[in-house]
Amino acid sequence: MSVEQKAAELGLTFEPIEPGYLNLCIKTGNLLMTSGHVSDQKGKLGENVSLEEGIAAARDCAIKILQSVRDEHGTLNGLKVIKLLGCVNSTPDFTDQHLVINGASDLFHELYGKTGDGFHARSALGFAALPTGVAVEIEAIFEIVDE
């Protein structure tokens, strides 16, 4: 089953994106690099956002990343997930940033395979604040393996 078919099975739909102030995904060579994509969830992990809400926020970011990648590349097929940078708006004593960003990693594993093209490098970092008070921001790098 193709990645596009798996995404459809998960109920993911993708509409064209209107160009904005910044490029959400840019192709350079055989790489697709995304800007940071933010969650709709606002707030701070360890304060007013639960771990479960944070995980859902990271998944939300991953869906938005896929939207941008698909808009730039035309398909989700033929890609390999290379790297994620996950930023979590969290209190100084919150130390489960890695679990929050699993919300994004798990979606990429579902679509691309945990041991195949979805097996990626990743950083999960805590931040004192993120733009507009969002709970999570994630950026990604994909390699185009099939044109």
Side-chain angles (χ1 to χ4, degrees), residues 50-131:
S50 70
L51 178 60
E52 293 75 22
E53 289 170 323
I55 291 167
R59 182 180 173 90
D60 178 43
C61 292
I63 292 168
K64 291 174 181 176
I65 287 168
L66 291 168
Q67 168 80 34
S68 295
V69 165
R70 189 175 187 276
D71 192 70
E72 174 65 29
H73 186 58
T75 182
L76 297 176
N77 296 331
L79 301 176
K80 179 178 178 139
V81 186
I82 300 297
K83 171 82 167 131
L84 298 183
L85 171 62
C87 308
V88 180
N89 186 354
S90 52
T91 60
D93 60 336
F94 183 83
T95 59
D96 286 335
Q97 288 85 359
H98 62 293
L99 298 178
V100 171
I101 303 304
N102 281 351
S105 291
D106 289 346
L107 179 58
F108 292 131
H109 290 160
E110 275 185 84
L111 293 173
Y112 291 95
K114 186 168 179 164
T115 59
D117 289 337
F119 190 58
H120 54 274
R122 187 186 84 184
S123 298
L125 306 172
F127 286 79
L130 290 174

Side-chain angles (χ1 to χ4, degrees), residues 34-38 58 61-62 65 84-87 101 104 136-140:
T34 75
S35 293
H37 287 65
V38 299
C61 292
I65 287 168
L84 298 183
L85 171 62
C87 308
I101 303 304
V136 179
E137 179 173 348
I138 300 175
E139 62 181 50

